[in-house]
Amino acid sequence: DPETAGEPNNLQLERTALYRAIMQGSLPPLLREVLTDKASWQMARLRVVFADRARAESGALDFHQEQIVTKFPGVHNIWTTLTPPGTVANRDTPGVQFYVGRSEAQRTLRIGTPEYEALIDRLNRAAQAGEPGDSEGYFFRPQLSLGDAVLFDCYVPHASYIPPAAQDTRVSFDIRLFPTPDDRGPKPFPISQ
């Protein structure tokens, strides 16, 4: 973050430009609804995906669910592009894609089971073949500009998407939030302003 780049920022979330931007928009009421006023954050990170490289070398991620990344219950992910104004993720640069299917089925899958592996394999094959989805759902590839954000829970299958016409590199930021009703945790995310 440009506001805290000169010093460690693992405990300085409130001082970052991103935090201030999130708290000025329409996101805080939604965060309070899904996370309560007491939430913590984990794994804030940048990702770079190159449009001009083979997928295996581009930095793109295959389909996965956040439940494999962190074990905290109630995890939600906020994803935003950090591309220049006027540049659109999923049009001009790589972006993110979501699988919209039967959510009750996605919520019952457990990591490492044959059913989970079959779903992820099916989604990756369909996406790589250029299909719009599969027999149980479709891929949603929102066009996102600087300042747009998507919020999704730990069960939504998602992956990087590189549009065929994309020319530019994508830089994105994502942060995982989870409710901590009894313990604010080591990294509080104050949303009760």
Side-chain angles (χ1 to χ4, degrees), residues 31 34-44 70-78 151-152 154 175-191:
L31 291 176
V34 297
L35 297 171
T36 76
D37 281 342
K38 295 181 180 177
S40 291
W41 64 276
Q42 180 199 35
M43 296 180 61
T70 183
K71 302 304 179 198
F72 291 109
V75 166
H76 282 69
N77 191 337
I78 298 176
L151 172 69
F152 53 98
C154 63
I175 183 170
R176 284 139 197 89
L177 304 175
F178 55 95
T180 53
D182 299 320
D183 178 4
R184 289 182 64 84
K187 298 175 182 175
F189 187 89
I191 55 177

Side-chain angles (χ1 to χ4, degrees), residues 13-192:
L13 181 64
E14 293 174 74
R15 293 183 52 217
T16 66
L18 179 67
Y19 175 81
R20 287 197 309 273
I22 289 171
M23 289 299 124
Q24 290 174 5
S26 57
L27 201 51
L30 181 58
L31 291 176
R32 282 188 203 95
E33 185 176 324
V34 297
L35 297 171
T36 76
D37 281 342
K38 295 181 180 177
S40 291
W41 64 276
Q42 180 199 35
M43 296 180 61
R45 65 180 171 194
L46 293 173
R47 177 165 300 280
V48 177
V49 179
F50 299 94
D52 61 350
R53 297 185 186 174
R55 184 170 176 89
E57 298 156 1
S58 67
L61 295 177
D62 287 336
F63 273 95
H64 63 284
Q65 293 174 312
E66 289 304 304
Q67 65 170 322
I68 68 168
V69 177
T70 183
K71 302 304 179 198
F72 291 109
V75 166
H76 282 69
N77 191 337
I78 298 176
W79 187 100
T80 188
T81 183
L82 298 177
T83 50
T87 302
V88 177
N90 279 342
R91 185 190 75 191
D92 309 318
T93 72
V96 62
Q97 61 183 327
F98 302 93
Y99 177 67
V100 179
R102 294 187 355 249
S103 64
E104 69 278 359
Q106 293 164 194
R107 292 177 183 280
T108 60
L109 293 176
R110 295 294 166 242
I111 305 304
T113 63
E115 295 83 10
Y116 177 82
E117 299 302 327
L119 169 68
I120 297 302
D121 183 56
R122 188 177 79 228
L123 297 181
N124 285 322
R125 280 188 283 116
Q128 290 168 5
E131 300 292 330
D134 67 5
S135 61
E136 297 181 26
Y138 62 93
F139 299 129
F140 175 57
R141 298 167 176 148
Q143 292 193 351
L144 302 165
S145 299
L146 185 65
D148 293 337
V150 289
L151 172 69
F152 53 98
D153 73 14
C154 63
Y155 299 108
V156 176
H158 59 286
S160 302
Y161 176 65
I162 303 175
Q167 298 290 316
D168 298 322
T169 300
R170 179 202 89 198
V171 179
S172 62
F173 178 83
D174 57 296
I175 183 170
R176 284 139 197 89
L177 304 175
F178 55 95
T180 53
D182 299 320
D183 178 4
R184 289 182 64 84
K187 298 175 182 175
F189 187 89
I191 55 177
S192 58

